[in-house]
Amino acid sequence: MRVSQLFTKTSKTAPADEIAKNARLLIQAGYIHKEMAGVYTFLPLGLRVLENICTVIREEMNAIGGQELKLTTLQDPELWKATGRWDDEAVDVWFKTKLKNDTELGLGPTHEEPLVRAIQPFISSYKDLPVLAYQIQTKFRNETRAKSGVMRGREFLMKDMYSLARTEEEHDELYEKIKQAYYRVFERLGIGEQTFLTFASGGMFSQYSHEFQTITEAGEDTIYLDRAKKIAVNEEVLNDEVLADLGLNRDSLEAVQAAEVGNIFTLKEKFSKPLGLTFTDETGHEQTVLMGCYGIGPSRLVGVITELMADDKGLVWPDNIAPFKVYLARLGDDETVMKAADETYENITALGVEVLYDDRDARPGEKFADADLLGIPHRVVVSAKTVEQGKLEYKRRTEAESSLVDFEALKSLLT
RNA sequence: CGGGGAGUGGCGCAGUCUGGUAGCGCGCGCGGUUUGGGACCGCGAGGUCGCAGGUUCGAAUCCUGUCUCCCCGACCA
């Protein structure tokens, strides 16, 4: 992609009405556009990052046998009345609307009910189980206060997986398998080091749920962390009984701010029972399916990764989720430089590496500043100097010094 | 929802207290000089001053109402 063709531009100033670092930088760099409070458009560069995150998640969900589907955004009140969750008292974040004929509808804040109803016709025997089904879908939640940029929106993207098991043992196995997949996801997204399994409230059906909390000042939760054991306890469930149960010592805990990037829940029969999701077991008896649900917020992750990695020059993306891997800056417009830069663009692209080629008639400082602000992990410069020496200038976003390399060396740095 | 702050060209801001018909920087267009960390000169385009009502000869400025945005708190299935 040529910068001259990209319709977004960077700005020298951050928006005045945002305080959250993630929103300020993502808007300044042209990754997102704020539509309303808590509602953000993903522009081309931002969408690439979001899609790259989704790709990592999909690969890991598919690797453990997850089957992707897409549930609807519009929700049928009758379905939710069956589980008692249509009532605003029970779920206070509903966006509700109406059909022309006055029938009420909702915009899905989560999807347990519709998932159960969509899958129910296909589950009748123990032979049909277990199942892992997931989707990546826009959720709508009427938060009283949106905040923290893309980390807490009213409209946001979520990956939600649902497990359907025959027995508690089977459920536990699935739960553990998904937990391990989550570790791999956060590892691949470059936040594995800062992300901790955290014990949180399990609701009515299990003692705990597990959150994946990433340490960042921008986070909304306070967690108590045992770094050596690599586990944490959410402030909301912290008490002596819980600590004893988890084998943790209060003195070895460290209180830190963290952002919830994933949450896994045991649901047991909470939704399957009222909605009649049952199967016939080996002995011919009807049993209720045991469920679990497992969420990751890709759009929130864009914000969390920004908060965690950005520096004073702008965004910083890990290789595998960057919108482009290489920022190719052409300095000068001599014919030889133009030709060399065009060739370099083609050569790197031919390696299967995505390049953002700054072919603009702009001064070096502006190109370097944009390369930094956009957070592209590798920068390559073609100029009269490099052409003269038959080399390319290479620098990582996170390093201060550049070096001259030949194409073969560059190739090994990029692949 | 309670408390606090703010809405003025695309972006960042001044002007509001003390009413007199809107200004600066960036960006944008044209011309020229420039070219290794956001260059410079000249010319130019661009604004219902959030919205509605009121006071006044006259309102960005005063009054009333309303909408929106941000922050703190509460809330977070």
Side-chain angles (χ1 to χ4, degrees), chain A residues 4 12 32 42 47 56 108 126 141 145 187-188 206 229 245 248 253 273 281 303 314 329 333 383 393 398 405:
Chain A
S4 63
K12 281 187 182 175
I32 62 174
F42 279 80
L47 182 60
V56 168
Y126 69 93
R141 295 186 186 182
R145 182 183 162 206
E187 194 61 45
R188 288 180 62 186
S206 58
K229 293 181 177 159
D245 184 48
L248 294 173
L253 296 181
K273 188 157 191 161
D281 69 15
D333 54 4
S383 67
E393 183 184 307
T398 51
V405 298

Side-chain angles (χ1 to χ4, degrees), chain A residues 345-357:
Chain A
Y345 176 47
E346 283 160 27
N347 291 342
I348 300 174
T349 302
L351 298 174
V353 173
E354 294 204 284
V355 182
L356 186 57
Y357 175 23

Side-chain angles (χ1 to χ4, degrees), chain A residues 62-93:
Chain A
N62 292 344
I64 56 171
Q67 300 177 63
E68 187 170 1
L69 73 159
K70 191 155 208 158
L71 296 160
T72 62
T73 293
L74 294 176
Q75 299 295 313
D76 173 7
E78 294 309 315
L79 177 61
W80 293 78
K81 283 174 187 168
T83 58
R85 293 214 295 176
W86 179 249
D87 197 326
D88 290 324
E89 294 287 306
V91 174
D92 65 0
V93 293

Side-chain angles (χ1 to χ4, degrees), chain A residues 14 93 131 144 230 253 270-272 310 352 366 396-398:
Chain A
V93 293
V131 172
T144 42
K230 255 233 143 193
L253 296 181
K270 186 172 181 179
F271 299 101
S272 45
E366 192 175 342
R396 274 183 210 280
R397 171 64 176 82
T398 51

